Structure formats: C-alpha cells, structure tokens
Amino acid sequence: MYMGAIFQNSTDFILLGLITHPLFPGLIFAVVFSIFVVAVTANVVMILLIHVDSRLHTPMYFLLSQLSIMDTVYICITVPKMLQDLLSKEKTISFLGCAVQIFLYLTLAGGEFFLLGLMAYDRYVAVCNPLRYPLLMNRRVCIVMVVGSWVGGSLDGFILTPITMGFPYCRSRKINHFFCEIPAVLKLSCIDTSLYETLMYSCCVLMMLIPIIIISVSYIRILITVHQMNSAEGRRKAFATCSSHILVVSIFYGAAFYTNVLPSSYHTPEDDKLVSAFYTILTPMLNPLIYSLRNKDVAAALRKMLGRCTSF
C-alpha cells in the first residue's frame, strides 16, 4: 500500500507561490533576491569572522557560527526555488524535491530550536558561573551541543517526511505555498489526515517545550543573579551579553508558536504563507545583523577584517 502511494505520488507538484497571482512579480523578485543576498552574505561573513579572529574563538561564538550555518542552509532550501518560480511559468517541483525540502526544513528548524536553547544555557553559565565557564563550556561540551542539535532536528525530519510523502495525493497537485510545507501538502491528500496532523502538532509542541524550558530556567537564574549584582557596570555587561540572544529567540519562537501551537481556525492559508516567509526568509537575515550590530566584539572583528581588505 505504501509503495502504491509512492508510485501514485511520483508526478510533480505545482507551487502557487507566496502570492498566487502577483501583479508585479519583478518587484517581488527584486525584494526577495535582495533579502536573500543580504542574508547569505551576512551569515557567511559571520562564519568567516568567527573562524579568522582569535578573539571570537569562544564557546558563545562557536555556537553562533553554527547558527549562521543553519540559517544559510535554511534560506537556501526555499528562496532559490521561489525566485525561479517568480520568473517561470512552470512552477513545478518533483515529488523527490518536495520530500527533500520537507526533510531539510524540519531538520534545520528543529536544529535551530535546540541550538537556541543551548545558547541560553551558555549565557547562564557565563553570567552566573563565570569562574567555571571554561570548565563547563569546554570544546568537547560545545561539540556535543552542536551535534545534539543537528541530530535532534534530523529526528523530526526522518520521522515526519516519509509519513507525509506516503499519503496518497489524488486531488489537485497545486500546493498553496511557496515551498513544500507539510500542512499545505497534506491538504491535497485524498484521505483523512486529521489524526496525523494532530500527532504532528503534538510532536512539534513537545519538541519546542524542551528548549523553551532550558531558555526559561536559564534566564530566570540570570535575572536573579543580575538583580543581586551591586555593580551597575556588571548589570550592563550581563544585559549586553544576553540581549541579542533574547531578541533572536523572541523572533524565531514567536513565529513558530503561531504556526505550531495556535489552532488552524485562528489563521488562514495566506496568513500561514506570510508567517512562513517571515521565519524562512527574514529571520536568517535578521539573526546575523542582530548579533553584529549589537555586539562590540563582532563589530571590532568586522572593522579589522575590512581594514585588512582595504590595505590589501
């Protein structure tokens, strides 16, 4: 039965895009392409800075470099295909291409959930246990954190992708989205998928709970420690250390909460596409900009690199 569904599903899907019938596709292409270039450039520069500048060879920046790698791959999953579709009359995506999109999207989104949670733990150790920071956040611990984030995210992809693509799709092949997001794909199934969707949302909520608990506990402890500080300078440094991460978490988890926690009756397919565009296109661009603009070490490393390039 599963092989029969795969055979039946082997034909191409059609992606209707972010806007089904755009009046100015050239303008949308220019805007999305600009965001894509800025996002990829900012993340690649962040990775290079952290790799080249010895002052950034710390656990916090090592984790940040992994976030930039995730964001770079994340935006490359959907946007190039979206740009191609804006210029093409044939907006098709193969069955295999759709499955690959779903798997990579789930893996990277899940990996980023876990990584942001572990970055909160890193900030907790830095603020609350600064003397033990080199011991608690040694290189081996950092590597385990990163590998755990990638593996944890891929579990979601390995479980949900084959189940999603195993359903028979005998209705219209038109996906009302700009990439193969599972809820949009499931609407084309010719059998009832409500039970699977309920289980899928439950799985996503449980997956979000783990890093949310880590983040909440870490920042509660940080707030207690900061409140007990007598030095205003110490409080300022603690706030500067955590503010960028709090902002990134708020943006990413806010969009994820809307998509995965709110019941479907509270949002329309058009709303879903806009929110998806926010965290698949805008968030990868905002993350490196937030960390670079609000971080003196990164700004100093960037000025140093630009100075070398100018001299060369």
Side-chain angles (χ1 to χ4, degrees):
M1 182 177 179
Y2 177 80
M3 292 305 295
I6 294 292
F7 180 77
Q8 187 179 17
N9 294 339
S10 61
T11 55
D12 294 344
F13 292 103
I14 299 171
L15 295 170
L16 297 182
L18 179 61
I19 301 174
T20 306
H21 299 291
L23 295 176
F24 305 102
L27 178 60
I28 298 174
F29 177 91
V31 172
V32 174
F33 180 74
S34 300
I35 294 173
F36 176 73
V37 171
V38 171
V40 173
T41 303
N43 280 292
V44 170
V45 168
M46 182 71 74
I47 295 167
L48 289 175
L49 285 176
I50 293 171
H51 178 72
V52 171
D53 199 302
S54 59
R55 291 174 298 178
L56 303 182
H57 292 174
T58 63
M60 181 182 80
Y61 292 111
F62 174 72
L63 296 177
L64 180 56
S65 69
Q66 295 301 310
L67 180 65
S68 291
I69 291 172
M70 288 183 177
D71 281 338
T72 303
V73 181
Y74 196 40
I75 197 170
C76 289
I77 295 169
T78 57
V79 173
K81 175 60 179 169
M82 180 184 180
L83 293 172
Q84 179 188 345
D85 289 345
L86 284 169
L87 299 179
S88 174
K89 292 183 179 179
E90 295 183 1
K91 307 177 188 298
T92 59
I93 183 170
S94 67
F95 177 81
L96 178 60
C98 192
V100 170
Q101 261 197 352
I102 290 174
F103 173 77
L104 291 176
Y105 163 74
L106 291 172
T107 297
L108 290 160
E112 195 155 333
F113 279 138
F114 288 121
L115 186 62
L116 287 172
L118 294 171
M119 288 173 74
Y121 172 76
D122 169 74
R123 295 300 81 209
Y124 154 72
V125 177
V127 174
C128 302
N129 295 285
L131 297 179
R132 299 183 62 197
Y133 185 78
L135 177 64
L136 296 176
M137 291 298 298
N138 58 55
R139 184 164 184 80
R140 182 179 178 183
V141 172
C142 292
I143 292 173
V144 170
M145 285 182 170
V146 170
V147 172
S149 297
W150 282 98
V151 172
S154 66
L155 288 176
D156 212 13
F158 279 118
I159 294 171
L160 297 181
T161 304
I163 298 175
T164 301
M165 304 312 290
F167 285 112
Y169 295 102
C170 53
R171 297 177 184 173
S172 168
R173 312 297 290 185
K174 296 179 180 179
I175 300 174
N176 186 18
H177 218 295
F178 62 93
F179 75 102
C180 289
E181 193 171 38
I182 291 181
V185 174
L186 290 177
K187 290 179 180 178
L188 306 183
S189 177
C190 51
I191 63 172
D192 182 21
T193 61
S194 57
L195 177 60
Y196 170 63
E197 290 182 58
T198 302
L199 293 174
M200 180 184 67
Y201 285 124
S202 301
C203 176
C204 291
V205 170
L206 288 174
M207 194 170 183
M208 288 174 61
L209 277 178
I210 298 172
I212 284 175
I213 290 172
I214 296 174
I215 292 169
S216 300
V217 172
S218 297
Y219 278 108
I220 288 172
R221 296 294 300 273
I222 288 172
L223 287 174
I224 293 172
T225 302
V226 170
H227 179 70
Q228 294 173 345
M229 289 181 179
N230 296 322
S231 169
E233 180 66 15
R235 292 182 180 181
R236 188 192 64 78
K237 287 183 178 180
F239 177 76
T241 300
C242 302
S243 58
S244 297
H245 181 260
I246 293 172
L247 187 55
V248 169
V249 166
S250 301
I251 292 172
F252 191 77
Y253 276 81
F257 179 87
Y258 176 90
T259 303
N260 298 316
V261 177
L262 283 182
S264 57
S265 57
Y266 283 85
H267 41 92
T268 65
E270 299 304 319
D271 294 334
D272 289 340
K273 287 195 287 185
L274 289 175
V275 174
S276 296
F278 179 80
Y279 66 76
T280 57
I281 301 174
L282 287 177
T283 301
M285 179 188 71
L286 293 174
N287 287 352
L289 294 179
I290 290 170
Y291 274 104
S292 61
L293 295 175
R294 299 174 61 86
N295 190 296
K296 291 182 179 179
D297 293 335
V298 174
L302 181 59
R303 286 194 297 270
K304 183 179 178 182
M305 176 180 280
L306 291 175
R308 287 180 178 178
C309 294
T310 305
S311 299
F312 180 76

